[in-house]
Amino acid sequence: MREQPYEIVIGLEVHVQLRTRTKLFCRCSTEFGQPANTQTCPVCTGQPGSLPVMNRDAFQLSMKTALALHCQIPEFTRWDRKQYYYPDLPKGYQISQYDLPMSCDGWLEICDSQGVFDPKRVGIIRAHLEEDAGKSMHDETSGRADSRIDLNRTGTPLLEIVSQPDLRSAAEARAYLDELKLLLQYLDVSDCNMQEGSLRVDANVNLHLDEPGGVIATPIVEIKNLNSFRAVERALEYESQRQYEVWLEKGVKKGDIPKQTRGWDDQLEVTRAQRHKEESSDYRYFPDPDLVPVVVTPDEVERVRATVGELPAALRLRLQEEYDVSEYDANVIVNQGRDFVGYFVEVADASGDARRTSNWIQQEILRRLNELQMSIRQFPVTAAALAGLVKAIASGELDSSRGRDVFGRMFEHGESAAEAMQSLGIVSVDAGSLRSLCEGLLAENPRVVAEVKEGKQKAVGALIGQAKRLNPNVNPSEVREICLELIAQQ
Amino acid sequence: MKGCQVSLSLADVKKVAMLARLQLSDTELERMTHQLGQIVDYVNQLAELDTESVTPLSHAGELVNVFAEDKPRPGLSRAEVLSGAPKQDDECYRVPAVLGE
């Protein structure tokens, strides 16, 4: 990539649908994919006289997430009304948080094991709890000019996580999103399903240009409609180049025009102008008189902090320190999720050979999981069984290529390593018969013996193939060792 | 806030009407500016008080931490919830096209 004549400045807003059974302020189900408008009540459809009551679990899950993001939890927090008109917002306002969010001032560390960028801490301005809007669908059949509104999603709890504008490339933005999603999965606070809208991203981006008079900033653009992390990357790449071209052409600076909202078109891979964003004063935020504030004690914070558990960053370090796997390998293992790490740790502990375990699970197991689109929980080879196999290979009882045969058998028939070896007729060859097999080979191959004596140790390789044909259970390195020893004694 | 008097202009009322999606005629705008102005003047009386050492209230009641358990309860049937809509198709509300632009 060529050196850019500008610096890209990116901040991300991520909306996470929390894993609760009911909505934030009423007890309607949040289950996805139900028939339209079958999960509503007077509260989430904004009927007069109805009263919202906060979902305890939604607040707890938010606090857990905020703590994992190293945020401060203020003692006092409250909810405000954000007013705007949109058909999918039946009350005419969204219950959100304005000046007293439930958490603020955190960070998330991102790193790149490929070394494209240096590790950095991305600041988190705030994470606040708010309600989702409904869904509008444009009806394109029969040329009708109506939109259809489904209010099932209205009122679903969302945690909005707002980063500082600390990201400096599309790659960093992608790494932030990957790490955040992994963290949310480890915390088990959301299913993080992008197709179902459980994770939604808006990106704020502008450029800093080094001009003779000092650094100049281009107007900030908020990009919406980003349906995948890939779309976020592409949109940021497109938008930064677009802003640079507009700068060259028009020279418009930040502050000259109001903040713009642009939508990402995934097909054409361009961003397009949307309505000008209302100023925040136009939302006329004010404290929602229907809800009471929440007061959080330090004890409560500590109680929730204790449920956070070991997180990806700490696990990566632990795997490197306690299991001696490389940074790259630790990344691969941790990025597969908590269950996968558990599997690795169990096999490594039981086999006593973490490096070999790491190789096996990254090669054979990851490959099969990917092929079968299966999770490690469903995998037919248990951790105990794999540990048996790793042990057999580590002790020299099995060589790696036969090890793969044994693994295949274990995978297909759910056998233990010992059972699979027995099924395949693999028995370890005792020292006496191995020695006599080698002696026989040397007697039949005087030319190889002569070559080895002349110093060409490689020649012994020809004997290994013959030995394997005579008895497939022999260990190649043992054959090699014994033959060389016997020749030296001659 | 002592001494901070707020007054209301015609332009303010126009903007508020727009944000509330109300279409007001010129006569209505003038009448609203007058009437809303009176309300603002009434509230302005508060400025006479010294509130320097008073902590702002978030809520008129003293309750905090009112939570409900995360247990689903039945809500409205689809027929019920759609019954008040000017336009619907037995599944969804129908509204003038929203094109996301």
Side-chain angles (χ1 to χ4, degrees), chain A residues 113 182 186 312 315-316 318-320 323-348 353-363 365-366 369 376:
Chain A
S113 57
L182 188 67
Y186 268 77
L315 268 171
R316 286 190 194 102
R318 183 154 82 85
L319 293 192
Q320 290 172 62
Y323 291 91
D324 195 31
V325 296
S326 69
E327 185 189 343
Y328 181 89
D329 290 349
N331 248 327
V332 173
I333 295 168
V334 171
N335 291 356
Q336 298 301 314
R338 211 187 268 285
D339 290 342
F340 196 84
V341 175
Y343 187 88
F344 165 79
V345 166
E346 209 179 322
V347 178
D353 191 335
R355 287 226 154 194
R356 203 168 247 122
T357 301
S358 163
N359 289 339
W360 269 88
I361 74 169
Q362 285 188 59
Q363 288 160 17
I365 296 193
L366 263 190
L369 290 179
I376 191 73

Side-chain angles (χ1 to χ4, degrees), chain A residues 211-338:
Chain A
E211 294 291 307
V215 177
I216 288 191
T218 59
I220 296 177
V221 167
E222 178 172 0
I223 312 175
K224 291 192 171 282
N225 198 28
L226 298 164
N227 296 324
S228 65
F229 290 178
R230 184 79 199 112
V232 175
E233 273 185 287
R234 302 191 84 113
L236 286 169
E237 279 158 11
Y238 171 86
E239 178 61 22
S240 49
Q241 194 54 35
R242 188 196 68 82
Q243 286 187 19
Y244 186 60
E245 281 159 21
V246 171
W247 160 255
L248 290 180
E249 195 187 324
K250 295 182 181 158
V252 179
K253 298 191 293 288
K254 180 180 167 187
D256 292 349
I257 54 167
K259 181 172 160 180
Q260 236 199 345
T261 304
R262 299 180 71 86
W264 173 245
D265 183 325
D266 217 27
Q267 253 81 55
L268 296 177
E269 305 203 322
V270 296
T271 62
R272 264 199 274 261
Q274 295 185 333
R275 72 184 157 89
H276 280 282
K277 212 172 153 75
E278 281 165 292
E279 291 290 312
S280 75
S281 61
D282 287 351
Y283 287 128
R284 292 151 293 145
Y285 281 99
F286 70 87
D288 191 323
D290 286 347
L291 286 163
V292 298
V294 169
V295 171
V296 186
T297 64
D299 280 357
E300 170 115 52
V301 171
E302 290 318 308
R303 200 182 54 68
V304 174
R305 199 192 298 279
T307 67
V308 166
E310 202 173 10
L311 296 177
L315 268 171
R316 286 190 194 102
L317 281 182
R318 183 154 82 85
L319 293 192
Q320 290 172 62
E321 282 164 11
E322 290 179 24
Y323 291 91
D324 195 31
V325 296
S326 69
E327 185 189 343
Y328 181 89
D329 290 349
N331 248 327
V332 173
I333 295 168
V334 171
N335 291 356
Q336 298 301 314
R338 211 187 268 285

Side-chain angles (χ1 to χ4, degrees), chain B residues 3-78:
Chain B
C4 173
Q5 296 282 328
V6 181
S7 66
L8 203 64
S9 70
L10 189 72
D12 290 333
V13 176
K14 264 188 184 165
K15 184 170 181 189
V16 171
M18 189 275 290
L19 289 172
R21 304 298 187 268
L22 291 174
Q23 225 167 19
L24 301 181
S25 68
D26 286 352
T27 336
E28 284 170 323
L29 273 174
E30 247 170 69
R31 196 170 70 229
M32 281 297 165
T33 308
H34 178 68
Q35 289 179 352
L36 289 173
Q38 283 179 327
I39 296 173
V40 169
D41 287 345
Y42 181 64
V43 174
N44 271 335
Q45 290 178 22
L46 288 173
E48 290 166 19
L49 298 171
D50 181 2
T51 54
E52 201 62 43
S53 57
V54 179
T55 325
L57 263 186
S58 286
H59 201 270
E62 284 178 5
L63 276 177
V64 295
N65 298 6
V66 176
F67 291 108
E69 299 310 315
D70 185 30
K71 291 205 179 76
R73 272 208 312 259
L76 296 169
S77 73
R78 179 150 74 187

Side-chain angles (χ1 to χ4, degrees), chain A residues 412-486:
Chain A
E412 272 152 40
H413 299 273
E415 293 174 346
S416 71
E419 285 163 350
M421 283 163 74
Q422 201 170 30
S423 312
L424 292 171
I426 299 175
V427 283
S428 56
V429 183
D430 68 81
S433 51
L434 185 60
R435 203 170 177 87
S436 61
L437 183 140
C438 291
E439 282 166 352
L441 284 173
L442 294 182
E444 283 165 30
N445 294 280
R447 267 192 55 194
V448 173
V449 175
E451 280 179 44
V452 173
K453 281 189 168 170
E454 283 163 27
K456 285 192 204 157
Q457 294 221 334
K458 271 203 295 193
V460 86
L463 301 180
I464 294 170
Q466 291 185 34
K468 285 223 94 164
R469 276 193 289 279
L470 290 170
N471 184 347
N473 293 324
V474 297
N475 183 319
S477 58
E478 280 178 21
V479 171
R480 183 187 154 83
E481 218 170 281
I482 293 168
C483 286
L484 289 174
E485 193 188 309
L486 288 171

Side-chain angles (χ1 to χ4, degrees), chain A residues 73-308:
Chain A
I73 309 289
E75 200 189 331
F76 184 93
T77 182
R78 73 167 176 219
W79 279 261
D80 301 88
R81 293 184 178 180
K82 178 182 180 179
Q83 345 263 334
Y84 63 92
Y85 272 106
Y86 215 70
D88 61 18
L89 191 71
K91 294 193 295 296
Y93 59 86
Q94 177 195 26
I95 303 179
S96 182
Q97 298 200 276
Y98 184 50
D99 55 346
L100 295 170
M102 51 92 43
S103 76
C104 56
D105 295 332
W107 51 267
L108 178 67
E109 185 162 277
I110 55 168
C111 53
D112 179 32
S113 57
Q114 322 252 24
V116 176
F117 57 86
D118 292 331
K120 75 193 294 183
R121 279 186 182 184
V122 181
I124 306 289
I125 296 176
R126 60 192 278 165
H128 72 244
L129 179 59
E130 63 183 24
E131 59 174 349
D132 206 346
K135 218 163 69 180
S136 27
M137 298 155 284
H138 189 60
D139 185 4
E140 280 163 18
T141 58
S142 65
R144 290 211 232 195
D146 285 352
S147 282
R148 306 177 74 221
I149 306 293
D150 172 8
L151 297 182
N152 283 351
R153 200 179 65 184
T154 309
T156 298
L158 288 183
L159 187 67
E160 178 174 336
I161 302 168
V162 185
S163 88
Q164 294 278 3
D166 284 347
L167 300 158
R168 290 292 173 274
S169 66
E172 286 187 11
R174 175 62 190 259
Y176 171 83
L177 292 172
D178 284 336
E179 188 66 12
L180 182 60
K181 181 178 175 193
L182 188 67
L183 183 81
L184 296 167
Q185 284 170 333
Y186 268 77
L187 294 169
D188 198 25
V189 294
S190 169
D191 62 26
C192 296
N193 188 331
M194 284 199 88
Q195 277 80 43
E196 295 178 4
S198 304
L199 206 63
R200 302 199 287 270
V201 185
D202 299 331
N204 286 287
V205 57
N206 73 339
L207 309 179
H208 285 180
L209 300 120
D210 246 331
E211 294 291 307
V215 177
I216 288 191
T218 59
I220 296 177
V221 167
E222 178 172 0
I223 312 175
K224 291 192 171 282
N225 198 28
L226 298 164
N227 296 324
S228 65
F229 290 178
R230 184 79 199 112
V232 175
E233 273 185 287
R234 302 191 84 113
L236 286 169
E237 279 158 11
Y238 171 86
E239 178 61 22
S240 49
Q241 194 54 35
R242 188 196 68 82
Q243 286 187 19
Y244 186 60
E245 281 159 21
V246 171
W247 160 255
L248 290 180
E249 195 187 324
K250 295 182 181 158
V252 179
K253 298 191 293 288
K254 180 180 167 187
D256 292 349
I257 54 167
K259 181 172 160 180
Q260 236 199 345
T261 304
R262 299 180 71 86
W264 173 245
D265 183 325
D266 217 27
Q267 253 81 55
L268 296 177
E269 305 203 322
V270 296
T271 62
R272 264 199 274 261
Q274 295 185 333
R275 72 184 157 89
H276 280 282
K277 212 172 153 75
E278 281 165 292
E279 291 290 312
S280 75
S281 61
D282 287 351
Y283 287 128
R284 292 151 293 145
Y285 281 99
F286 70 87
D288 191 323
D290 286 347
L291 286 163
V292 298
V294 169
V295 171
V296 186
T297 64
D299 280 357
E300 170 115 52
V301 171
E302 290 318 308
R303 200 182 54 68
V304 174
R305 199 192 298 279
T307 67
V308 166

Side-chain angles (χ1 to χ4, degrees), chain A residues 379-399:
Chain A
F379 197 66
V381 179
T382 63
L386 184 67
L389 177 65
V390 171
K391 258 195 212 161
I393 297 168
S395 70
E397 200 182 333
L398 263 179
D399 66 76

